[in-house]
Amino acid sequence: MGTMLRIMRANGQSIFAYQPAPYRGPITLFQTTAQLRNTKGELTWGWHKLAQGGVIRIEVPGHHMNLLNDPHVNVLAEKLRIVLQQAQKTVGVTA
């Protein structure tokens, strides 16, 4: 069996075996405008079931396939920078 096939099989087995556990803190969920346009119903996509501290939803422009391209990546980077700075303040970490 080829190396790539073994890797793909291992990845598939991992996906099916994984059992997510609750997380005590909040989860930050970045969602693109295109994804939200197509979302009906529950907007946290099930993350609220695991995030005991709640889900912080942040909307960013674009869609899944262009989020890491200009200009969308710049908006994502800035919003991520703000979230990380706030997290560092919460736990008392300085950069």
Side-chain angles (χ1 to χ4, degrees), residues 32-50:
T32 66
T33 52
Q35 290 170 311
L36 288 173
R37 235 185 337 240
N38 297 319
T39 297
K40 293 176 178 43
E42 206 281 301
L43 293 177
T44 69
W45 302 335
W47 286 106
H48 67 284
K49 296 174 186 173
L50 297 173

Side-chain angles (χ1 to χ4, degrees), residues 30-91:
F30 290 90
Q31 298 171 300
T32 66
T33 52
Q35 290 170 311
L36 288 173
R37 235 185 337 240
N38 297 319
T39 297
K40 293 176 178 43
E42 206 281 301
L43 293 177
T44 69
W45 302 335
W47 286 106
H48 67 284
K49 296 174 186 173
L50 297 173
Q52 295 175 346
V55 177
I56 302 163
R57 294 177 43 252
I58 299 177
E59 186 174 343
V60 292
H63 56 76
H64 181 77
M65 298 305 291
N66 71 4
L67 182 59
L68 297 181
N69 297 336
D70 285 329
H72 308 309
V73 70
N74 297 321
V75 176
L76 174 63
E78 179 60 19
K79 291 186 178 195
L80 180 58
R81 183 187 65 75
I82 292 167
V83 167
L84 291 173
Q85 283 180 336
Q86 290 170 344
Q88 287 176 335
K89 289 178 187 175
T90 301
V91 296

Side-chain angles (χ1 to χ4, degrees), residues 4-18:
M4 200 60 162
L5 185 55
R6 283 195 303 274
I7 291 171
M8 289 172 58
R9 178 177 280 163
N11 285 342
Q13 290 171 342
S14 297
I15 289 169
F16 288 111
Y18 180 69

